[in-house]
mmCIF file of all heavy atoms in Angstrom:
data_model
loop_
_atom_site.group_PDB
_atom_site.id
_atom_site.type_symbol
_atom_site.label_atom_id
_atom_site.label_comp_id
_atom_site.label_asym_id
_atom_site.label_seq_id
_atom_site.Cartn_x
_atom_site.Cartn_y
_atom_site.Cartn_z
ATOM 1 N N MET F 17 18.117 -21.770 34.805
ATOM 2 C CA MET F 17 17.293 -20.587 34.508
ATOM 3 C C MET F 17 16.817 -20.619 33.074
ATOM 4 O O MET F 17 17.500 -21.048 32.163
ATOM 5 C CB MET F 17 18.141 -19.322 34.655
ATOM 6 C CG MET F 17 17.898 -18.599 35.959
ATOM 7 S SD MET F 17 18.737 -17.048 35.864
ATOM 8 C CE MET F 17 18.685 -16.683 37.576
ATOM 9 N N GLU F 18 15.624 -20.150 32.933
ATOM 10 C CA GLU F 18 14.957 -20.141 31.625
ATOM 11 C C GLU F 18 15.277 -18.793 30.930
ATOM 12 O O GLU F 18 15.070 -17.729 31.535
ATOM 13 C CB GLU F 18 13.456 -20.298 31.785
ATOM 14 C CG GLU F 18 12.786 -20.984 30.595
ATOM 15 C CD GLU F 18 11.330 -21.222 30.874
ATOM 16 O OE1 GLU F 18 11.047 -22.079 31.703
ATOM 17 O OE2 GLU F 18 10.509 -20.546 30.226
ATOM 18 N N GLN F 19 15.743 -18.846 29.704
ATOM 19 C CA GLN F 19 16.003 -17.651 28.972
ATOM 20 C C GLN F 19 14.828 -17.204 28.185
ATOM 21 O O GLN F 19 14.199 -18.030 27.488
ATOM 22 C CB GLN F 19 17.170 -17.942 27.989
ATOM 23 C CG GLN F 19 18.016 -16.718 27.675
ATOM 24 C CD GLN F 19 19.221 -17.123 26.808
ATOM 25 O OE1 GLN F 19 19.256 -18.177 26.245
ATOM 26 N NE2 GLN F 19 20.224 -16.276 26.810
ATOM 27 N N GLN F 20 14.459 -15.944 28.291
ATOM 28 C CA GLN F 20 13.297 -15.433 27.602
ATOM 29 C C GLN F 20 13.697 -15.006 26.209
ATOM 30 O O GLN F 20 14.735 -14.380 26.004
ATOM 31 C CB GLN F 20 12.704 -14.248 28.346
ATOM 32 C CG GLN F 20 12.026 -14.628 29.638
ATOM 33 C CD GLN F 20 11.299 -13.427 30.200
ATOM 34 O OE1 GLN F 20 11.535 -12.322 29.806
ATOM 35 N NE2 GLN F 20 10.376 -13.675 31.121
ATOM 36 N N GLN F 21 12.822 -15.397 25.250
ATOM 37 C CA GLN F 21 13.047 -14.989 23.856
ATOM 38 C C GLN F 21 12.547 -13.555 23.680
ATOM 39 O O GLN F 21 11.552 -13.170 24.210
ATOM 40 C CB GLN F 21 12.226 -15.911 22.973
ATOM 41 C CG GLN F 21 12.655 -17.388 22.998
ATOM 42 C CD GLN F 21 13.492 -17.745 21.828
ATOM 43 O OE1 GLN F 21 13.483 -17.064 20.874
ATOM 44 N NE2 GLN F 21 14.210 -18.798 21.944
ATOM 45 N N PRO F 22 13.321 -12.740 22.972
ATOM 46 C CA PRO F 22 12.888 -11.371 22.702
ATOM 47 C C PRO F 22 11.551 -11.369 21.879
ATOM 48 O O PRO F 22 11.462 -12.214 20.976
ATOM 49 C CB PRO F 22 14.001 -10.710 21.969
ATOM 50 C CG PRO F 22 14.823 -11.854 21.462
ATOM 51 C CD PRO F 22 14.589 -13.025 22.355
ATOM 52 N N LYS F 23 10.693 -10.463 22.175
ATOM 53 C CA LYS F 23 9.453 -10.405 21.445
ATOM 54 C C LYS F 23 9.695 -9.667 20.142
ATOM 55 O O LYS F 23 10.464 -8.765 20.035
ATOM 56 C CB LYS F 23 8.393 -9.720 22.247
ATOM 57 C CG LYS F 23 7.971 -10.503 23.491
ATOM 58 C CD LYS F 23 6.841 -9.821 24.205
ATOM 59 C CE LYS F 23 6.479 -10.683 25.450
ATOM 60 N NZ LYS F 23 5.506 -10.040 26.208
ATOM 61 N N VAL F 24 9.000 -10.113 19.099
ATOM 62 C CA VAL F 24 9.201 -9.564 17.765
ATOM 63 C C VAL F 24 8.861 -8.068 17.778
ATOM 64 O O VAL F 24 9.562 -7.282 17.181
ATOM 65 C CB VAL F 24 8.337 -10.308 16.718
ATOM 66 C CG1 VAL F 24 8.445 -9.716 15.396
ATOM 67 C CG2 VAL F 24 8.803 -11.800 16.679
ATOM 68 N N ALA F 25 7.773 -7.673 18.402
ATOM 69 C CA ALA F 25 7.359 -6.298 18.385
ATOM 70 C C ALA F 25 8.422 -5.359 19.044
ATOM 71 O O ALA F 25 8.702 -4.328 18.568
ATOM 72 C CB ALA F 25 6.031 -6.108 19.140
ATOM 73 N N ASP F 26 9.038 -5.860 20.147
ATOM 74 C CA ASP F 26 10.081 -5.123 20.797
ATOM 75 C C ASP F 26 11.326 -4.957 19.870
ATOM 76 O O ASP F 26 11.903 -3.878 19.813
ATOM 77 C CB ASP F 26 10.523 -5.773 22.097
ATOM 78 C CG ASP F 26 9.407 -5.735 23.127
ATOM 79 O OD1 ASP F 26 8.512 -4.849 23.039
ATOM 80 O OD2 ASP F 26 9.425 -6.653 23.998
ATOM 81 N N GLU F 27 11.644 -6.006 19.180
ATOM 82 C CA GLU F 27 12.827 -5.911 18.240
ATOM 83 C C GLU F 27 12.555 -5.043 17.081
ATOM 84 O O GLU F 27 13.410 -4.272 16.690
ATOM 85 C CB GLU F 27 13.132 -7.384 17.717
ATOM 86 C CG GLU F 27 13.690 -8.281 18.815
ATOM 87 C CD GLU F 27 14.997 -7.809 19.390
ATOM 88 O OE1 GLU F 27 15.865 -7.266 18.616
ATOM 89 O OE2 GLU F 27 15.163 -7.922 20.625
ATOM 90 N N ILE F 28 11.335 -5.031 16.564
ATOM 91 C CA ILE F 28 10.956 -4.115 15.468
ATOM 92 C C ILE F 28 11.046 -2.672 15.936
ATOM 93 O O ILE F 28 11.554 -1.765 15.141
ATOM 94 C CB ILE F 28 9.572 -4.469 14.915
ATOM 95 C CG1 ILE F 28 9.643 -5.819 14.188
ATOM 96 C CG2 ILE F 28 9.049 -3.368 13.963
ATOM 97 C CD1 ILE F 28 8.303 -6.327 13.692
ATOM 98 N N LYS F 29 10.646 -2.394 17.145
ATOM 99 C CA LYS F 29 10.716 -0.995 17.673
ATOM 100 C C LYS F 29 12.125 -0.541 17.823
ATOM 101 O O LYS F 29 12.429 0.625 17.659
ATOM 102 C CB LYS F 29 10.006 -0.937 19.023
ATOM 103 C CG LYS F 29 8.504 -1.002 18.904
ATOM 104 C CD LYS F 29 7.860 -0.948 20.291
ATOM 105 C CE LYS F 29 6.367 -1.216 20.210
ATOM 106 N NZ LYS F 29 5.748 -1.354 21.492
ATOM 107 N N LYS F 30 13.084 -1.466 18.082
ATOM 108 C CA LYS F 30 14.441 -1.087 18.264
ATOM 109 C C LYS F 30 15.157 -0.814 16.905
ATOM 110 O O LYS F 30 16.207 -0.137 16.893
ATOM 111 C CB LYS F 30 15.209 -2.209 18.979
ATOM 112 C CG LYS F 30 14.874 -2.382 20.400
ATOM 113 C CD LYS F 30 15.697 -3.541 20.942
ATOM 114 C CE LYS F 30 15.157 -3.952 22.335
ATOM 115 N NZ LYS F 30 15.840 -5.162 22.822
ATOM 116 N N MET F 31 14.644 -1.393 15.831
ATOM 117 C CA MET F 31 15.288 -1.221 14.513
ATOM 118 C C MET F 31 15.283 0.177 14.041
ATOM 119 O O MET F 31 14.328 0.941 14.232
ATOM 120 C CB MET F 31 14.563 -2.113 13.470
ATOM 121 C CG MET F 31 14.790 -3.576 13.707
ATOM 122 S SD MET F 31 13.779 -4.590 12.584
ATOM 123 C CE MET F 31 14.113 -3.923 10.975
ATOM 124 N N GLU F 32 16.326 0.601 13.372
ATOM 125 C CA GLU F 32 16.402 1.912 12.775
ATOM 126 C C GLU F 32 15.794 1.888 11.395
ATOM 127 O O GLU F 32 15.791 0.841 10.739
ATOM 128 C CB GLU F 32 17.883 2.379 12.645
ATOM 129 C CG GLU F 32 18.571 2.703 13.930
ATOM 130 C CD GLU F 32 19.923 3.239 13.730
ATOM 131 O OE1 GLU F 32 20.161 3.873 12.704
ATOM 132 O OE2 GLU F 32 20.796 3.007 14.585
ATOM 133 N N TYR F 33 15.205 3.061 10.958
ATOM 134 C CA TYR F 33 14.643 3.137 9.670
ATOM 135 C C TYR F 33 15.713 3.041 8.605
ATOM 136 O O TYR F 33 16.683 3.730 8.663
ATOM 137 C CB TYR F 33 13.810 4.435 9.498
ATOM 138 C CG TYR F 33 13.338 4.686 8.125
ATOM 139 C CD1 TYR F 33 12.259 3.964 7.667
ATOM 140 C CD2 TYR F 33 13.935 5.634 7.261
ATOM 141 C CE1 TYR F 33 11.788 4.127 6.322
ATOM 142 C CE2 TYR F 33 13.498 5.828 5.972
ATOM 143 C CZ TYR F 33 12.401 5.064 5.528
ATOM 144 O OH TYR F 33 11.920 5.250 4.258
ATOM 145 N N GLU F 34 15.499 2.233 7.621
ATOM 146 C CA GLU F 34 16.457 2.086 6.490
ATOM 147 C C GLU F 34 15.663 2.319 5.215
ATOM 148 O O GLU F 34 14.793 1.533 4.907
ATOM 149 C CB GLU F 34 17.084 0.726 6.468
ATOM 150 C CG GLU F 34 17.988 0.445 7.644
ATOM 151 C CD GLU F 34 18.593 -0.926 7.510
ATOM 152 O OE1 GLU F 34 18.793 -1.441 6.445
ATOM 153 O OE2 GLU F 34 18.919 -1.485 8.615
ATOM 154 N N PRO F 35 16.004 3.368 4.477
ATOM 155 C CA PRO F 35 15.255 3.617 3.181
ATOM 156 C C PRO F 35 15.633 2.471 2.201
ATOM 157 O O PRO F 35 16.676 1.885 2.258
ATOM 158 C CB PRO F 35 15.820 4.940 2.712
ATOM 159 C CG PRO F 35 17.097 5.134 3.423
ATOM 160 C CD PRO F 35 16.972 4.396 4.715
ATOM 161 N N LEU F 36 14.688 2.184 1.315
ATOM 162 C CA LEU F 36 14.911 1.140 0.330
ATOM 163 C C LEU F 36 15.916 1.643 -0.685
ATOM 164 O O LEU F 36 15.996 2.784 -1.081
ATOM 165 C CB LEU F 36 13.591 0.844 -0.423
ATOM 166 C CG LEU F 36 12.491 0.178 0.453
ATOM 167 C CD1 LEU F 36 11.218 0.052 -0.381
ATOM 168 C CD2 LEU F 36 12.961 -1.161 0.918
ATOM 169 N N LEU F 37 16.763 0.694 -1.101
ATOM 170 C CA LEU F 37 17.747 0.961 -2.134
ATOM 171 C C LEU F 37 17.017 1.093 -3.536
ATOM 172 O O LEU F 37 15.976 0.577 -3.715
ATOM 173 C CB LEU F 37 18.783 -0.142 -2.187
ATOM 174 C CG LEU F 37 19.600 -0.333 -0.916
ATOM 175 C CD1 LEU F 37 20.434 -1.590 -1.055
ATOM 176 C CD2 LEU F 37 20.439 0.833 -0.630
ATOM 177 N N PRO F 38 17.691 1.818 -4.426
ATOM 178 C CA PRO F 38 17.054 1.943 -5.756
ATOM 179 C C PRO F 38 16.785 0.594 -6.424
ATOM 180 O O PRO F 38 15.757 0.409 -7.113
ATOM 181 C CB PRO F 38 18.127 2.779 -6.560
ATOM 182 C CG PRO F 38 18.858 3.507 -5.521
ATOM 183 C CD PRO F 38 18.846 2.669 -4.295
ATOM 184 N N ALA F 39 17.682 -0.364 -6.245
ATOM 185 C CA ALA F 39 17.490 -1.685 -6.842
ATOM 186 C C ALA F 39 16.269 -2.351 -6.216
ATOM 187 O O ALA F 39 15.525 -3.058 -6.886
ATOM 188 C CB ALA F 39 18.753 -2.564 -6.581
ATOM 189 N N GLU F 40 16.093 -2.178 -4.936
ATOM 190 C CA GLU F 40 14.914 -2.769 -4.259
ATOM 191 C C GLU F 40 13.629 -2.150 -4.736
ATOM 192 O O GLU F 40 12.645 -2.823 -4.993
ATOM 193 C CB GLU F 40 14.997 -2.602 -2.769
ATOM 194 C CG GLU F 40 16.157 -3.410 -2.125
ATOM 195 C CD GLU F 40 16.408 -3.065 -0.673
ATOM 196 O OE1 GLU F 40 16.233 -1.906 -0.268
ATOM 197 O OE2 GLU F 40 16.833 -3.989 0.088
ATOM 198 N N LEU F 41 13.635 -0.831 -4.881
ATOM 199 C CA LEU F 41 12.437 -0.154 -5.428
ATOM 200 C C LEU F 41 12.175 -0.591 -6.854
ATOM 201 O O LEU F 41 10.975 -0.817 -7.180
ATOM 202 C CB LEU F 41 12.673 1.398 -5.454
ATOM 203 C CG LEU F 41 12.615 2.061 -4.076
ATOM 204 C CD1 LEU F 41 13.063 3.504 -4.207
ATOM 205 C CD2 LEU F 41 11.221 1.943 -3.476
ATOM 206 N N SER F 42 13.175 -0.836 -7.655
ATOM 207 C CA SER F 42 12.965 -1.289 -9.000
ATOM 208 C C SER F 42 12.386 -2.664 -8.993
ATOM 209 O O SER F 42 11.442 -2.926 -9.797
ATOM 210 C CB SER F 42 14.309 -1.290 -9.712
ATOM 211 O OG SER F 42 14.177 -1.762 -11.022
ATOM 212 N N LEU F 43 12.890 -3.539 -8.158
ATOM 213 C CA LEU F 43 12.287 -4.874 -8.046
ATOM 214 C C LEU F 43 10.870 -4.886 -7.592
ATOM 215 O O LEU F 43 10.014 -5.635 -8.166
ATOM 216 C CB LEU F 43 13.095 -5.732 -7.038
ATOM 217 C CG LEU F 43 14.520 -6.171 -7.518
ATOM 218 C CD1 LEU F 43 15.306 -6.822 -6.389
ATOM 219 C CD2 LEU F 43 14.368 -7.178 -8.669
ATOM 220 N N ILE F 44 10.520 -4.057 -6.669
ATOM 221 C CA ILE F 44 9.123 -3.917 -6.208
ATOM 222 C C ILE F 44 8.230 -3.479 -7.366
ATOM 223 O O ILE F 44 7.147 -4.017 -7.607
ATOM 224 C CB ILE F 44 9.037 -2.974 -5.003
ATOM 225 C CG1 ILE F 44 9.714 -3.603 -3.818
ATOM 226 C CG2 ILE F 44 7.548 -2.629 -4.690
ATOM 227 C CD1 ILE F 44 9.952 -2.698 -2.619
ATOM 228 N N ARG F 45 8.681 -2.422 -8.067
ATOM 229 C CA ARG F 45 7.904 -1.879 -9.183
ATOM 230 C C ARG F 45 7.667 -2.919 -10.264
ATOM 231 O O ARG F 45 6.564 -3.106 -10.787
ATOM 232 C CB ARG F 45 8.514 -0.632 -9.743
ATOM 233 C CG ARG F 45 8.374 0.566 -8.817
ATOM 234 C CD ARG F 45 8.990 1.820 -9.453
ATOM 235 N NE ARG F 45 8.958 2.873 -8.497
ATOM 236 C CZ ARG F 45 10.038 3.527 -8.064
ATOM 237 N NH1 ARG F 45 11.210 3.267 -8.568
ATOM 238 N NH2 ARG F 45 9.943 4.522 -7.205
ATOM 239 N N TRP F 46 8.736 -3.631 -10.673
ATOM 240 C CA TRP F 46 8.641 -4.658 -11.668
ATOM 241 C C TRP F 46 7.723 -5.769 -11.224
ATOM 242 O O TRP F 46 6.885 -6.271 -12.028
ATOM 243 C CB TRP F 46 10.035 -5.252 -12.005
ATOM 244 C CG TRP F 46 10.713 -4.468 -13.038
ATOM 245 C CD1 TRP F 46 11.704 -3.562 -12.908
ATOM 246 C CD2 TRP F 46 10.470 -4.551 -14.469
ATOM 247 N NE1 TRP F 46 12.067 -3.044 -14.124
ATOM 248 C CE2 TRP F 46 11.369 -3.636 -15.110
ATOM 249 C CE3 TRP F 46 9.625 -5.306 -15.232
ATOM 250 C CZ2 TRP F 46 11.367 -3.499 -16.489
ATOM 251 C CZ3 TRP F 46 9.623 -5.185 -16.655
ATOM 252 C CH2 TRP F 46 10.514 -4.252 -17.224
ATOM 253 N N SER F 47 7.780 -6.218 -9.955
ATOM 254 C CA SER F 47 6.949 -7.254 -9.461
ATOM 255 C C SER F 47 5.453 -6.899 -9.510
ATOM 256 O O SER F 47 4.628 -7.675 -9.917
ATOM 257 C CB SER F 47 7.312 -7.597 -7.994
ATOM 258 O OG SER F 47 8.626 -8.058 -7.915
ATOM 259 N N ILE F 48 5.183 -5.655 -9.117
ATOM 260 C CA ILE F 48 3.742 -5.165 -9.145
ATOM 261 C C ILE F 48 3.324 -5.097 -10.607
ATOM 262 O O ILE F 48 2.157 -5.513 -10.932
ATOM 263 C CB ILE F 48 3.663 -3.841 -8.430
ATOM 264 C CG1 ILE F 48 3.856 -4.042 -6.937
ATOM 265 C CG2 ILE F 48 2.268 -3.215 -8.693
ATOM 266 C CD1 ILE F 48 3.938 -2.746 -6.122
ATOM 267 N N GLY F 49 4.121 -4.574 -11.460
ATOM 268 C CA GLY F 49 3.802 -4.454 -12.885
ATOM 269 C C GLY F 49 3.523 -5.817 -13.506
ATOM 270 O O GLY F 49 2.554 -5.969 -14.249
ATOM 271 N N ILE F 50 4.437 -6.829 -13.249
ATOM 272 C CA ILE F 50 4.231 -8.120 -13.795
ATOM 273 C C ILE F 50 2.933 -8.740 -13.283
ATOM 274 O O ILE F 50 2.202 -9.392 -13.985
ATOM 275 C CB ILE F 50 5.465 -8.989 -13.553
ATOM 276 C CG1 ILE F 50 6.639 -8.509 -14.342
ATOM 277 C CG2 ILE F 50 5.163 -10.441 -13.793
ATOM 278 C CD1 ILE F 50 7.994 -9.116 -13.956
ATOM 279 N N GLY F 51 2.698 -8.521 -11.963
ATOM 280 C CA GLY F 51 1.457 -9.105 -11.362
ATOM 281 C C GLY F 51 0.221 -8.554 -11.982
ATOM 282 O O GLY F 51 -0.684 -9.260 -12.358
ATOM 283 N N VAL F 52 0.094 -7.219 -12.098
ATOM 284 C CA VAL F 52 -1.059 -6.588 -12.668
ATOM 285 C C VAL F 52 -1.174 -6.903 -14.152
ATOM 286 O O VAL F 52 -2.271 -7.242 -14.626
ATOM 287 C CB VAL F 52 -0.966 -5.047 -12.455
ATOM 288 C CG1 VAL F 52 -2.100 -4.344 -13.197
ATOM 289 C CG2 VAL F 52 -1.080 -4.705 -11.008
ATOM 290 N N GLY F 53 -0.094 -6.935 -14.873
ATOM 291 C CA GLY F 53 -0.109 -7.324 -16.279
ATOM 292 C C GLY F 53 -0.572 -8.730 -16.451
ATOM 293 O O GLY F 53 -1.373 -9.031 -17.376
ATOM 294 N N SER F 54 -0.126 -9.617 -15.620
ATOM 295 C CA SER F 54 -0.572 -11.010 -15.742
ATOM 296 C C SER F 54 -2.037 -11.182 -15.478
ATOM 297 O O SER F 54 -2.709 -11.983 -16.118
ATOM 298 C CB SER F 54 0.220 -11.873 -14.715
ATOM 299 O OG SER F 54 1.625 -11.866 -14.969
ATOM 300 N N LEU F 55 -2.542 -10.390 -14.533
ATOM 301 C CA LEU F 55 -4.017 -10.434 -14.277
ATOM 302 C C LEU F 55 -4.778 -10.038 -15.490
ATOM 303 O O LEU F 55 -5.764 -10.714 -15.863
ATOM 304 C CB LEU F 55 -4.398 -9.520 -13.102
ATOM 305 C CG LEU F 55 -4.023 -10.085 -11.737
ATOM 306 C CD1 LEU F 55 -4.326 -8.999 -10.677
ATOM 307 C CD2 LEU F 55 -4.915 -11.317 -11.399
ATOM 308 N N PHE F 56 -4.355 -8.999 -16.162
ATOM 309 C CA PHE F 56 -5.088 -8.520 -17.348
ATOM 310 C C PHE F 56 -5.008 -9.550 -18.480
ATOM 311 O O PHE F 56 -5.978 -9.811 -19.132
ATOM 312 C CB PHE F 56 -4.612 -7.152 -17.805
ATOM 313 C CG PHE F 56 -5.146 -6.027 -17.044
ATOM 314 C CD1 PHE F 56 -4.301 -5.272 -16.158
ATOM 315 C CD2 PHE F 56 -6.470 -5.692 -17.122
ATOM 316 C CE1 PHE F 56 -4.793 -4.235 -15.438
ATOM 317 C CE2 PHE F 56 -6.966 -4.616 -16.332
ATOM 318 C CZ PHE F 56 -6.116 -3.889 -15.552
ATOM 319 N N ILE F 57 -3.804 -10.088 -18.657
ATOM 320 C CA ILE F 57 -3.602 -11.084 -19.739
ATOM 321 C C ILE F 57 -4.436 -12.310 -19.468
ATOM 322 O O ILE F 57 -5.094 -12.853 -20.349
ATOM 323 C CB ILE F 57 -2.146 -11.447 -19.859
ATOM 324 C CG1 ILE F 57 -1.368 -10.209 -20.435
ATOM 325 C CG2 ILE F 57 -1.915 -12.647 -20.734
ATOM 326 C CD1 ILE F 57 0.156 -10.340 -20.434
ATOM 327 N N LEU F 58 -4.449 -12.803 -18.225
ATOM 328 C CA LEU F 58 -5.258 -14.020 -17.893
ATOM 329 C C LEU F 58 -6.718 -13.724 -18.009
ATOM 330 O O LEU F 58 -7.488 -14.644 -18.486
ATOM 331 C CB LEU F 58 -4.879 -14.475 -16.482
ATOM 332 C CG LEU F 58 -3.480 -15.075 -16.338
ATOM 333 C CD1 LEU F 58 -3.188 -15.387 -14.884
ATOM 334 C CD2 LEU F 58 -3.363 -16.379 -17.129
ATOM 335 N N TYR F 59 -7.141 -12.533 -17.676
ATOM 336 C CA TYR F 59 -8.578 -12.212 -17.821
ATOM 337 C C TYR F 59 -8.949 -12.236 -19.267
ATOM 338 O O TYR F 59 -9.932 -12.757 -19.691
ATOM 339 C CB TYR F 59 -8.926 -10.887 -17.144
ATOM 340 C CG TYR F 59 -10.307 -10.440 -17.361
ATOM 341 C CD1 TYR F 59 -11.389 -11.034 -16.642
ATOM 342 C CD2 TYR F 59 -10.613 -9.480 -18.333
ATOM 343 C CE1 TYR F 59 -12.639 -10.656 -16.858
ATOM 344 C CE2 TYR F 59 -11.942 -9.119 -18.550
ATOM 345 C CZ TYR F 59 -12.971 -9.706 -17.776
ATOM 346 O OH TYR F 59 -14.233 -9.325 -18.011
ATOM 347 N N TRP F 60 -8.120 -11.590 -20.078
ATOM 348 C CA TRP F 60 -8.348 -11.497 -21.548
ATOM 349 C C TRP F 60 -8.393 -12.889 -22.108
ATOM 350 O O TRP F 60 -9.247 -13.213 -22.996
ATOM 351 C CB TRP F 60 -7.336 -10.622 -22.209
ATOM 352 C CG TRP F 60 -7.496 -10.545 -23.682
ATOM 353 C CD1 TRP F 60 -8.424 -9.835 -24.380
ATOM 354 C CD2 TRP F 60 -6.735 -11.252 -24.647
ATOM 355 N NE1 TRP F 60 -8.321 -10.041 -25.748
ATOM 356 C CE2 TRP F 60 -7.245 -10.942 -25.908
ATOM 357 C CE3 TRP F 60 -5.676 -12.189 -24.575
ATOM 358 C CZ2 TRP F 60 -6.737 -11.474 -27.132
ATOM 359 C CZ3 TRP F 60 -5.164 -12.683 -25.750
ATOM 360 C CH2 TRP F 60 -5.706 -12.347 -26.973
ATOM 361 N N LEU F 61 -7.422 -13.704 -21.786
ATOM 362 C CA LEU F 61 -7.389 -15.122 -22.292
ATOM 363 C C LEU F 61 -8.610 -15.926 -21.912
ATOM 364 O O LEU F 61 -9.165 -16.643 -22.700
ATOM 365 C CB LEU F 61 -6.138 -15.844 -21.768
ATOM 366 C CG LEU F 61 -4.821 -15.612 -22.552
ATOM 367 C CD1 LEU F 61 -3.672 -16.307 -21.839
ATOM 368 C CD2 LEU F 61 -4.955 -16.103 -23.938
ATOM 369 N N SER F 62 -9.061 -15.713 -20.670
ATOM 370 C CA SER F 62 -10.295 -16.496 -20.202
ATOM 371 C C SER F 62 -11.482 -16.000 -20.994
ATOM 372 O O SER F 62 -12.364 -16.850 -21.299
ATOM 373 C CB SER F 62 -10.471 -16.288 -18.741
ATOM 374 O OG SER F 62 -10.903 -15.005 -18.417
ATOM 375 N N GLN F 63 -11.595 -14.727 -21.320
ATOM 376 C CA GLN F 63 -12.746 -14.231 -22.125
ATOM 377 C C GLN F 63 -12.681 -14.727 -23.512
ATOM 378 O O GLN F 63 -13.658 -14.967 -24.158
ATOM 379 C CB GLN F 63 -12.752 -12.693 -22.034
ATOM 380 C CG GLN F 63 -13.029 -12.126 -20.689
ATOM 381 C CD GLN F 63 -14.301 -12.603 -20.074
ATOM 382 O OE1 GLN F 63 -15.352 -12.471 -20.716
ATOM 383 N NE2 GLN F 63 -14.247 -13.104 -18.883
ATOM 384 N N TRP F 64 -11.429 -14.789 -24.048
ATOM 385 C CA TRP F 64 -11.247 -15.209 -25.431
ATOM 386 C C TRP F 64 -11.448 -16.714 -25.645
ATOM 387 O O TRP F 64 -12.032 -17.176 -26.562
ATOM 388 C CB TRP F 64 -9.866 -14.759 -25.892
ATOM 389 C CG TRP F 64 -9.544 -15.070 -27.304
ATOM 390 C CD1 TRP F 64 -10.169 -14.596 -28.438
ATOM 391 C CD2 TRP F 64 -8.506 -15.989 -27.779
ATOM 392 N NE1 TRP F 64 -9.573 -15.142 -29.555
ATOM 393 C CE2 TRP F 64 -8.568 -16.001 -29.161
ATOM 394 C CE3 TRP F 64 -7.551 -16.758 -27.093
ATOM 395 C CZ2 TRP F 64 -7.687 -16.757 -29.960
ATOM 396 C CZ3 TRP F 64 -6.672 -17.492 -27.862
ATOM 397 C CH2 TRP F 64 -6.774 -17.499 -29.234
ATOM 398 N N LEU F 65 -10.911 -17.516 -24.660
ATOM 399 C CA LEU F 65 -10.986 -18.951 -24.779
ATOM 400 C C LEU F 65 -12.320 -19.525 -24.368
ATOM 401 O O LEU F 65 -12.753 -20.551 -24.882
ATOM 402 C CB LEU F 65 -9.837 -19.592 -23.939
ATOM 403 C CG LEU F 65 -8.461 -19.350 -24.423
ATOM 404 C CD1 LEU F 65 -7.469 -19.912 -23.439
ATOM 405 C CD2 LEU F 65 -8.231 -20.053 -25.790
ATOM 406 N N PHE F 66 -12.984 -18.857 -23.460
ATOM 407 C CA PHE F 66 -14.258 -19.365 -22.904
ATOM 408 C C PHE F 66 -15.315 -18.246 -23.018
ATOM 409 O O PHE F 66 -15.750 -17.706 -22.032
ATOM 410 C CB PHE F 66 -14.105 -19.756 -21.482
ATOM 411 C CG PHE F 66 -12.986 -20.760 -21.273
ATOM 412 C CD1 PHE F 66 -11.779 -20.359 -20.642
ATOM 413 C CD2 PHE F 66 -13.103 -22.040 -21.692
ATOM 414 C CE1 PHE F 66 -10.794 -21.237 -20.444
ATOM 415 C CE2 PHE F 66 -12.087 -23.004 -21.496
ATOM 416 C CZ PHE F 66 -10.927 -22.570 -20.866
ATOM 417 N N PRO F 67 -15.761 -17.922 -24.303
ATOM 418 C CA PRO F 67 -16.724 -16.906 -24.437
ATOM 419 C C PRO F 67 -18.119 -17.400 -23.939
ATOM 420 O O PRO F 67 -18.385 -18.563 -23.847
ATOM 421 C CB PRO F 67 -16.851 -16.655 -25.942
ATOM 422 C CG PRO F 67 -16.282 -17.923 -26.530
ATOM 423 C CD PRO F 67 -15.345 -18.487 -25.544
ATOM 424 N N GLY F 68 -18.956 -16.447 -23.597
ATOM 425 C CA GLY F 68 -20.316 -16.811 -23.135
ATOM 426 C C GLY F 68 -20.391 -17.030 -21.625
ATOM 427 O O GLY F 68 -21.441 -17.337 -21.135
ATOM 428 N N GLY F 69 -19.275 -16.987 -20.983
ATOM 429 C CA GLY F 69 -19.274 -17.136 -19.519
ATOM 430 C C GLY F 69 -19.816 -15.883 -18.844
ATOM 431 O O GLY F 69 -20.047 -14.846 -19.514
ATOM 432 N N HIS F 70 -20.100 -15.979 -17.650
ATOM 433 C CA HIS F 70 -20.609 -14.817 -16.891
ATOM 434 C C HIS F 70 -19.618 -13.762 -16.798
ATOM 435 O O HIS F 70 -18.658 -13.622 -16.259
ATOM 436 C CB HIS F 70 -20.977 -15.258 -15.476
ATOM 437 C CG HIS F 70 -22.507 -15.218 -15.242
ATOM 438 N ND1 HIS F 70 -23.391 -14.792 -16.169
ATOM 439 C CD2 HIS F 70 -23.184 -15.538 -14.147
ATOM 440 C CE1 HIS F 70 -24.609 -14.852 -15.640
ATOM 441 N NE2 HIS F 70 -24.493 -15.330 -14.404
#
């Protein structure tokens, strides 16, 4: 007999809601902050190192 694999969507529907822990929220906030900050720093560096570009 062939065993059927459970579908991902069905498994997700069965899962209970779990709120994020404070440590997880802190990690998410730091990651977003570092990402946005890096974008600004890299943009500023590119304007400073390569002036006259579009």
Side-chain angles (χ1 to χ4, degrees):
M17 259 191 195
E18 208 175 293
Q19 207 175 20
Q20 287 188 344
Q21 297 257 342
K23 294 185 179 175
V24 175
D26 294 335
E27 291 298 319
I28 290 175
K29 287 178 186 173
K30 290 180 193 175
M31 289 173 51
E32 289 185 31
Y33 172 74
E34 294 181 26
L36 292 173
L37 298 173
E40 293 170 328
L41 287 172
S42 179
L43 286 171
I44 291 168
R45 289 184 185 121
W46 272 100
S47 298
I48 292 172
I50 290 170
V52 171
S54 297
L55 283 174
F56 281 112
I57 290 170
L58 289 172
Y59 176 76
W60 177 77
L61 276 175
S62 70
Q63 296 300 309
W64 181 63
L65 292 173
F66 307 107
H70 247 359

